[in-house]
Amino acid sequence: LGFTVAVATLTGVFFGLAPAWRASRVDPQTAMKSGGRGVAAGRVPQRIAKPLVVAQVALSLVLVTSGALLLGSFRRIVTLDPGFRRDGVVLATLDFGRMQLKGPDIVTTSNDVLRRIREAPGVTQASGALRTPASGFGWNDFVAAPGMPARTRDDSLIYFNQVSDGFFDLMGTRVLNGRDISQDDIRGSRKVAVISELTGRRLYGDANPVGRTFQIRGTSGLGDPYEVIGVVADSKYDRLTETPRGTAYYPLGVGDTPFPQLTYEVRTSGSQAAVVDQIRRIAAEVSPSVSLSVTTLEDQVSNSLARPRLLAALSGFFGALALLLAVIGLYGAMAYSVAQRRSEIGVRMALGAARAGILAMVGREALVVIGLGVAIGGVASYASTRVLTTFLFGLTATDPVTFAFSGGLLLAAGLAASAVPAWRAAGVDPTEALREE
């Protein structure tokens, strides 16, 4: 705050000295002859003011373009199809770690909790998963498949999840081929998997993945084979802004040592609060040591967008502020120019100049200033917005539509700001303007 106050004060003093210095050098005789108007007369102020306004317009365009890029990027993020439905899903995460359960007992207990949640009043759908989208938790491994097309090593990097039956239906992720994971798969600890479209293309090319197998590359070699039983549509794994990731889904408790923490996804037909109370009661009945945390999928995804949302909000605010300052600067410069040319305008109108001609004259002057500022600002924006590349999604740092929109917006705002001085110039009374001379 102290720094900002100091900079604002020094700026005001510095730019206030220039007109004060000019005023101290005015010739009193000349000023009296011009009726007091000679203090501000002359073209020196105009030669200083207009370049300053050009620079202000140029810098404003850089901020407006940056803000438009980040706002456009954020809009694309929140409107994209993530491959799942985020609305109306309650996430209840239960941690059974303090119960000191062994591997098979964890699976049995978590399945029993899922059954009881499904039977709770008001619950229409429920499933369980080791991780949910944008949860900040996950794991991956390199895999191998018979006849896998020779590509880069990253193509064999697959992200995994463990899910119950009904997970894809509840999340709104379409099963495109084969079948879903079933309770029989979970109870029998079957080595089966449902994979995403991208995983299928990477591992098997154009062949049908259903019925084929893959293995995880471990430190001691290849692991047990997993049979592909189904293919689902691609969906976001950890972040909405991530590049597409190949994913594979195992039945709960299969694929790794059972993890003592599980998230239950619940859709309700009535009050979510009442269903949450039911889940709390179920958790307490299982064991008082079970910890429970509750949120919604919509909130979880929204929290993962905190950074791009903040960047979009800040850049949008500063872009709007820069646009406002450019409009004020241009209005001041044009109003000053009209005041200085009042006598000239009066002579023109006395000699028969029409109001439309005066409007066009002032408009052309404003258009030159704005046009120069937009041209310089466009070059500066092209060079500077490249630093935003890592923050953008679905847009390039030199997106032509955004650049055209930002330049057009600044041009329109500038012309609107100059309209008032132009209208005043066209309304000058020639008799009064000439009498002042």
Side-chain angles (χ1 to χ4, degrees):
L1 178 62
F3 172 79
T4 306
V5 170
V7 170
T9 303
L10 290 174
T11 301
V13 171
F14 177 77
F15 284 98
L17 286 176
W21 181 75
R22 286 201 310 272
S24 67
R25 295 170 59 85
V26 170
D27 180 8
Q29 185 176 3
T30 303
M32 294 177 64
K33 285 182 178 180
S34 60
R37 292 174 50 81
V39 174
R43 294 194 174 274
V44 173
Q46 285 298 299
R47 289 201 297 267
I48 297 175
K50 288 184 179 179
L52 285 176
V53 175
V54 169
Q56 187 179 32
V57 170
L59 292 174
S60 298
L61 182 59
V62 174
L63 288 175
V64 170
T65 304
S66 300
L69 283 171
L70 289 168
L71 284 171
S73 175
F74 184 70
R75 183 185 64 82
R76 288 175 181 250
I77 293 173
V78 297
T79 57
L80 65 80
D81 179 11
F84 58 85
R85 288 176 52 200
R86 70 187 84 176
D87 60 298
V89 179
V90 175
L91 301 179
T93 302
L94 275 68
D95 192 339
F96 307 103
R98 294 182 181 178
M99 294 179 65
Q100 303 298 319
L101 298 174
K102 302 300 181 182
D105 294 332
I106 293 176
V107 179
T108 301
T109 302
S110 60
N111 278 332
D112 181 61
V113 171
L114 177 58
R115 176 186 59 80
R116 296 174 67 178
I117 290 176
R118 285 173 171 171
E119 294 172 354
V123 174
T124 57
Q125 284 180 293
S127 66
L130 195 57
R131 67 166 310 281
T132 50
S135 63
F137 165 74
W139 87 94
N140 56 48
D141 269 308
F142 291 99
V143 303
M148 185 173 69
R151 294 193 180 97
T152 64
R153 188 167 182 263
D154 287 344
D155 285 339
S156 63
L157 181 65
I158 304 301
Y159 290 78
F160 296 98
N161 196 4
Q162 292 181 4
V163 300
S164 73
D165 58 303
F167 173 80
F168 300 114
D169 184 44
L170 184 146
M171 297 293 289
T173 303
R174 294 176 296 124
V175 178
L176 305 175
N177 193 6
R179 66 175 179 86
D180 195 352
I181 290 171
S182 68
Q183 272 293 327
D184 291 337
D185 297 324
I186 297 172
R187 284 192 291 265
S189 297
R190 295 175 178 170
K191 298 285 187 177
V192 296
V194 172
I195 63 174
S196 66
E197 283 185 280
L198 181 59
T199 303
R201 289 195 299 271
R202 287 180 174 177
L203 299 186
Y204 311 108
D206 296 329
N208 184 4
V210 177
R212 295 177 177 268
T213 61
F214 66 85
Q215 297 166 277
I216 294 177
R217 296 181 184 272
T219 54
S220 57
L222 296 177
D224 296 333
Y226 286 83
E227 180 187 353
V228 177
I229 60 172
V231 180
V232 295
D234 293 325
S235 63
K236 299 296 183 178
Y237 186 84
D238 190 43
R239 303 186 312 275
L240 296 189
T241 56
E242 70 190 13
T243 55
R245 295 179 177 180
T247 52
Y249 305 84
Y250 297 148
L252 275 179
V254 177
D256 243 334
T257 302
F259 199 68
Q261 182 174 298
L262 192 69
T263 298
Y264 296 93
E265 302 80 32
V266 183
R267 288 192 182 274
T268 66
S269 59
S271 170
Q272 289 186 349
V275 170
V276 170
D277 289 340
Q278 294 284 341
I279 296 174
R280 292 187 189 279
R281 179 183 59 77
I282 293 170
E285 290 175 355
V286 171
S287 173
S289 64
V290 174
S291 63
L292 171 67
S293 61
V294 179
T295 185
T296 64
L297 181 57
E298 197 158 15
D299 286 344
Q300 183 167 284
V301 173
S302 178
N303 291 336
S304 73
L305 298 176
R307 184 185 183 187
R309 183 185 301 109
L310 178 62
L311 285 173
L314 287 176
S315 62
F317 169 75
F318 285 116
L321 184 60
L323 182 64
L324 176 63
L325 291 177
V327 167
I328 293 173
L330 188 63
Y331 171 81
M334 296 310 302
Y336 183 76
S337 175
V338 169
Q340 294 302 301
R341 300 177 65 181
R342 181 179 173 85
S343 298
E344 175 195 338
I345 293 171
V347 171
R348 288 175 179 270
M349 297 188 71
L351 294 176
R355 288 173 61 92
I358 301 300
L359 284 170
M361 179 187 71
V362 178
R364 283 193 299 271
E365 185 178 344
L367 191 60
V368 169
V369 174
I370 301 170
L372 283 174
V374 169
I376 297 172
V379 174
S381 298
Y382 185 84
S384 62
T385 53
R386 295 174 185 271
V387 300
L388 300 176
T389 300
T390 56
F391 303 107
L392 299 179
F393 177 81
L395 284 175
T396 63
T398 55
D399 179 61
V401 175
T402 303
F403 270 64
F405 169 78
S406 302
L409 178 63
L410 200 59
L411 184 63
L415 290 176
S418 64
V420 175
W423 186 260
R424 288 178 179 173
V428 168
D429 184 348
T431 304
E432 292 183 7
L434 293 174
R435 188 180 296 125
E436 290 178 1
E437 290 297 314

